[in-house]
């Protein structure tokens, strides 16, 4: 993995150049541009309806991750319902279609309208974390931690390095508390 010539991240490397022609936009997925040669990136759109209950920094992170890896636009409460629903389906040997349908139905019973694609995204992320949901039983907390690790790895694979504040916001979004010991062991 690159340390971007000692800067730690691509954005920090560009900021170190202090080029008066470069402008930065945090509009997801983030832009570097020269206003004399490029159009200004589009203004930030309002948060997706599912993010109405999230704080602005959390909603901004979700939008950035949505733009880069397709992270579902859910708020912290919705993610907790997703993790509970998938925990109830885990380890039963069901097909992924049945798992996502049953989990969606559970969410609807809880009063949360969450589409199957959000459950499919999480189950794929768990599979990438070597925890196929159909085969292995897991608690909601375990699913949240595995999902967090997978999201962080997917972002890294997409060349998006999450800063310490981003990781804190991701923990807030997913309802996980990562101890310093645990984050060092998991490579977070």
């Amino acid at each position: 993995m690159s340390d971007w010539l000692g800067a730690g991240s691509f954005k920090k490397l560009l900021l170190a150049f202090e080029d008066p022609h470069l402008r930065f936009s945090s509009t997801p997925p983030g832009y570097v541009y020269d206003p004399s040669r490029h159009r200004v990136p589009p203004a930030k759109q309002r948060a997706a309806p599912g993010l109405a209950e999230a704080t602005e920094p959390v909603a901004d992170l979700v939008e950035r991750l949505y733009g880069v890896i397709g992270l579902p636009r859910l708020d912290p409460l919705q993610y907790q319902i997703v993790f509970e629903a998938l925990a109830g389906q885990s380890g039963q040997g069901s097909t992924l279609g049945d798992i996502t349908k049953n989990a969606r139905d559970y969410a609807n019973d809880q009063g949360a309208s969450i589409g199957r694609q959000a459950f499919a995204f999480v189950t794929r992320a768990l599979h990438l974390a070597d925890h196929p949901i159909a085969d292995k039983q897991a608690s909601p907390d375990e699913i949240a931690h595995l999902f967090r690790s997978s999201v962080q790895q997917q972002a890294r694979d997409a060349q998006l390095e999450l800063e310490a504040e981003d990781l804190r916001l991701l923990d807030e979004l997913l309802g996980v508390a990562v101890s310093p010991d645990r984050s060092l062991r998991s490579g977070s």
Side-chain angles (χ1 to χ4, degrees):
M1 178 181 340
S2 172
D3 72 349
W4 298 101
L5 300 175
S9 73
F10 182 63
K11 182 177 180 180
K12 288 179 183 176
L13 175 66
L14 292 176
L15 288 170
F17 285 119
E18 297 180 7
D19 186 328
H21 301 288
L22 292 181
R23 299 288 184 272
F24 299 88
S25 169
S26 60
T27 299
Y31 299 91
V32 178
Y33 65 100
D34 178 348
S36 67
R37 299 182 337 179
H38 306 106
R39 280 188 284 151
V40 175
K44 180 181 162 190
Q45 297 176 345
R46 293 190 61 203
L51 294 174
E53 300 302 316
T55 64
E56 187 172 334
V58 168
D60 288 345
L61 176 66
V62 171
E63 289 297 327
R64 208 163 23 117
L65 289 169
Y66 171 79
V68 175
I69 65 169
L71 182 77
R73 292 167 154 161
L74 304 175
D75 67 30
L77 179 59
Q78 291 171 313
Y79 269 109
Q80 292 311 304
I81 292 171
V82 167
F83 301 148
E84 289 171 16
L86 289 174
Q89 295 296 309
S90 66
Q92 296 183 10
S94 302
T95 67
L96 290 180
D98 286 341
I99 289 170
T100 58
K101 178 194 173 301
N102 294 338
R104 188 234 15 237
D105 292 347
Y106 172 87
N108 284 336
D109 291 346
Q110 301 301 308
S113 179
I114 301 171
R116 283 177 75 176
Q117 62 274 33
F119 295 100
F121 185 94
V122 175
T123 57
R124 280 191 305 274
L126 294 174
H127 184 76
L128 290 172
D130 199 30
H131 194 99
I133 194 85
D135 301 335
K136 297 181 180 179
Q137 182 68 37
S139 70
D141 187 55
E142 186 177 9
I143 289 172
H145 281 90
L146 289 164
F147 183 63
R148 180 209 188 270
S149 295
S150 182
V151 167
Q152 186 176 358
Q153 185 60 50
Q154 288 178 63
R156 192 176 296 129
D157 292 347
Q159 302 296 312
L160 174 63
E161 285 296 325
L162 298 175
E163 304 288 334
E165 178 63 8
D166 296 328
L167 295 173
R168 188 193 68 72
L169 292 169
L170 183 61
D171 291 345
E172 182 180 326
L173 172 68
L174 303 178
V176 300
V178 178
S179 69
D181 254 8
R182 182 183 178 113
S183 65
L184 291 174
R185 283 195 307 265
S186 68
S188 300

